[in-house]
Amino acid sequence: MPKAKITFDDIEQTVNVPAGTRVIEISEKVGAGIIYGCREGDCGTCMMHVTAGWNNLTAPSVLEEKILRENLAGRHDRLACQAQILGDCRVKPA
């Protein structure tokens, strides 16, 4: 299975993960500062900012795009419960 690296800028930690892993799963395990509520992509609590590797995450779903718009998210903001890691990236809480 392909591997990818994700770096959590807020705690300065890099982790090797299997491609396809949701960001929130890794954030929770390493104690990064990305908080969450529903884990379903409906509340917007887990918004994060992608500081590098934006294209190395899965494309946002229609639901995620709706929630991001409703929360006035920036161009490189994503929901950690929805974004899956495909390649190396860096993130921090939004």
Side-chain angles (χ1 to χ4, degrees):
M1 175 173 272
K3 294 278 188 178
K5 289 181 187 171
I6 181 167
T7 300
F8 294 92
D9 287 342
D10 61 323
I11 60 171
E12 298 179 7
Q13 185 169 355
T14 300
V15 183
N16 289 312
V17 299
T21 305
R22 291 184 307 155
V23 174
I24 196 65
E25 294 169 9
I26 306 306
S27 173
E28 189 176 31
K29 286 181 182 175
V30 300
I34 299 171
I35 57 172
Y36 63 92
C38 68
R39 294 180 73 110
E40 301 295 322
D42 204 31
C43 72
T45 305
C46 65
M47 193 179 310
M48 64 179 180
H49 184 74
V50 183
T51 58
W54 168 260
N55 293 328
N56 290 329
L57 297 172
T58 53
S61 66
V62 172
L63 173 62
E64 182 181 0
E65 286 181 343
K66 175 184 174 282
I67 298 301
L68 291 170
R69 272 194 312 275
E70 288 174 358
N71 286 283
L72 305 174
R75 182 171 181 228
H76 294 291
D77 291 339
R78 293 291 307 273
L79 298 180
C81 72
Q82 298 298 298
Q84 295 176 354
I85 305 159
L86 300 176
D88 297 354
C89 59
R90 298 181 70 93
V91 300
K92 66 180 182 180

